[in-house]
């Protein structure tokens, strides 16, 4: 926390010299009201709450012609969705290489870089760039927001613009710290030890025609985690490997935008629950959402999102049988229909609202929590209304 505060103060002090062309800074403030009815996804009691606060300050400083530093400090309060408080979203050195062989350009980020491999991963930290406050949970589940947003390490991006095609190729290698709330989502709230992400290795490729009406892409992720138990702990030492493959597609028209991502992820666990425990599961899902722009001020959105935690048990019946009935079958999947709207009230002001109808609860809480059935009904709803200001 001390490091984050120091960085924030340094960025604020630099704002005094904002008139210099080498430095720029921006920020945003967002406040809303929200509710989840029939689940503990946002709150535990289903009440309307103001736990929808986002405050961010980001800065950019050019050290040389092709070298700069970028960073952002963020305060986040989203109820049960993630840990409340201040965090350093990113802080990295940006090195631009304008000319490589065959017309390619390159960009290198060293430090805490932002994830560029998914459709909305690089913009999910700023409320004005999200079409909904709660993104499709199949891909962007909030329990791992900080880990998925960025990592500490190195990221490279290569781009090529030709007469007919635009290519982007990304590669990154790093790791993130795992806080207690993220540990509880993975191993349940009875875990007392520490989870360490050993590494996260990612690669992606995107293609667009010169008209930029289409965007197609594919990405790959591989990550290892290890668990070190506390002296008194009902979890054992163990490790887990996660591998994710995703396909991405976007289409842009004058008033329409259609976006979709499909994923398949494999989780391979050893130890943790018993000395010889070993289990491998494969989840899959994805989303499609359609946005219509009525005019320069108003737009609407409709989306569908789906995810199953084990493709061999899509309705969760085997999960319920294996748990002796303590975990209802609907915790094996989650299907969501979303309606959203935004209104740009003024150049720096935006009002955004959304409503989600959900069946299933596999992204609500860890299946290892005590009395998991109390965390969500089979069918539940959530909504939010959020006012945003950027400066």
């Amino acid at each position: 926390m001390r490091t984050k505060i120091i960085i924030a103060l340094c960025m604020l002090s630099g704002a005094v010299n904002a008139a210099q062309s080498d430095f720029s800074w921006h920020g945003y403030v967002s406040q809303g009201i929200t509710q989840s009815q029939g689940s503990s996804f946002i709150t535990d009691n289903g009440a309307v709450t103001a736990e929808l606060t986002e405050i961010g300050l980001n800065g950019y400083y050019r050290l040389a012609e092709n070298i700069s530093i970028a960073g952002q400090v963020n305060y986040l309060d989203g109820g049960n969705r993630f840990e409340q408080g201040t965090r350093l979203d990113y802080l990295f050195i940006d090195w631009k290489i304008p000319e490589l062989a065959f017309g390619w350009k390159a960009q290198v980020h060293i430090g805490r870089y932002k994830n560029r491999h998914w459709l909305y991963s690089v913009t999910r930290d700023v409320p004005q760039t999200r079409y909904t406050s709660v993104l499709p949970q199949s891909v962007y589940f909030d329990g791992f927001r900080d880990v998925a947003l960025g990592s500490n390490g190195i990221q490279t991006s290569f781009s090529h613009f030709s007469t007919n095609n635009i290519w982007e190729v990304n590669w990154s290698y790093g790791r993130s710290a795992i806080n207690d709330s993220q540990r509880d989502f993975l191993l349940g709230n009875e875990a007392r030890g520490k989870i360490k992400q050993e590494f996260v290795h990612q690669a992606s490729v995107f293609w667009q025609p010169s008209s930029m009406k289409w965007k197609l892409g594919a990405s790959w992720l591989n990550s290892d985690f290890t668990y070190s138990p506390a002296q008194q702990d009902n979890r054992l030492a163990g490790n887990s490997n996660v591998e994710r493959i995703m396909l991405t597609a976007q289409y842009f028209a004058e008033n329409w935008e259609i976006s979709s991502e499909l994923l398949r992820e494999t989780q391979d666990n050893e130890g943790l629950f018993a000395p010889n425990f070993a289990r491998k599961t494969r989840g899959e899902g994805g989303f499609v959402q359609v946005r219509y722009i009525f005019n320069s001020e108003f737009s609407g959105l409709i989306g569908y999102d789906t995810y199953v935690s084990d493709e061999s048990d899509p309705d969760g019946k085997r999960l319920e049988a294996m748990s002796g009935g303590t975990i209802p079958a609907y915790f094996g999947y989650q299907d969501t229909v979303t309606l959203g709207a935004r209104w740009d009230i003024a150049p720096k002001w935006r009002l955004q609202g959304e409503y989600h109808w959900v069946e299933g609860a596999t992204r609500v809480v860890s299946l290892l929590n005590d009395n998991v059935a109390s965390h969500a009904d089979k069918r539940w709803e959530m909504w939010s209304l959020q006012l945003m200001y950027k400066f």
Side-chain angles (χ1 to χ4, degrees), residues 43-280:
T43 58
D44 294 325
N45 55 15
V48 177
T49 176
E51 293 175 289
L52 188 59
T53 305
E54 296 177 72
I55 303 171
L57 184 66
N58 54 68
Y60 176 92
Y61 182 72
R62 189 174 68 177
L63 298 172
E65 183 178 359
N66 296 326
I67 300 176
S68 58
I69 297 176
Q72 176 171 288
V73 177
N74 175 282
Y75 172 81
L76 198 58
D77 183 8
N80 295 334
R81 292 192 290 145
F82 24 64
E83 189 173 50
Q84 177 187 356
T86 305
R87 63 258 287 150
L88 177 66
D89 277 340
Y90 58 88
L91 180 64
F92 57 82
I93 296 174
D94 179 7
W95 177 31
K96 293 181 175 66
I97 307 173
E99 292 295 337
L100 294 174
F102 307 105
W104 285 82
K105 299 179 180 180
Q107 194 170 11
V108 181
H109 292 168
I110 300 174
R112 179 156 184 81
Y113 58 83
K114 294 183 71 176
N115 180 359
R116 298 175 63 102
H117 302 283
W118 310 342
L119 202 57
Y120 301 125
S121 57
V122 77
T123 59
R124 69 183 299 185
D125 56 310
V126 179
Q128 284 84 352
T129 61
R130 296 194 308 264
Y131 295 152
T132 52
S133 298
V134 178
L135 291 171
Q137 293 298 290
S138 61
V139 177
Y140 303 96
F141 69 103
D142 288 328
F144 254 35
R145 181 261 188 200
D146 294 340
V147 177
L149 177 66
S151 302
N152 305 314
I154 183 171
Q155 178 170 253
T156 60
S157 180
F158 302 89
S159 58
H160 184 271
F161 297 81
S162 67
T163 304
N164 299 316
N165 301 290
I166 302 171
W167 289 93
E168 179 183 339
V169 180
N170 305 301
W171 172 88
S172 65
Y173 189 91
R175 67 183 183 186
S176 286
I178 308 294
N179 60 39
D180 289 347
S181 64
Q182 293 158 350
R183 175 202 64 193
D184 294 348
F185 190 91
L186 288 173
L187 296 176
N189 53 20
E190 292 184 347
R192 294 293 181 266
K194 296 294 183 182
I195 291 184
K196 179 182 179 181
Q197 184 181 46
E198 299 294 338
F199 70 87
V200 56
H201 191 186
Q202 297 192 75
S204 60
V205 58
F206 296 94
W207 169 83
Q208 288 181 279
S210 57
S211 66
M212 300 185 72
K213 288 186 175 182
W214 284 93
K215 184 175 184 179
L216 302 176
S219 64
W220 167 84
L221 175 150
N222 189 270
S223 183
D224 274 358
F225 299 84
T226 58
Y227 181 73
S228 300
Q231 284 189 337
Q232 295 184 350
D233 203 332
N234 64 355
R235 302 287 185 261
L236 305 177
N239 58 78
S240 177
N241 173 264
V242 177
E243 185 174 40
R244 172 184 281 199
I245 297 174
M246 288 176 48
L247 299 176
T248 298
Q250 270 187 312
Y251 174 74
F252 304 94
E254 183 177 357
N255 297 102
W256 291 91
E257 178 183 331
I258 304 174
S259 305
S260 180
E261 286 184 290
L262 303 176
L263 82 155
R264 172 171 285 185
E265 56 186 9
T266 303
Q267 185 170 330
D268 194 355
N269 297 318
E270 295 181 354
L272 302 173
F273 310 107
N276 297 321
F277 177 84
R279 186 184 180 193
K280 188 174 184 178

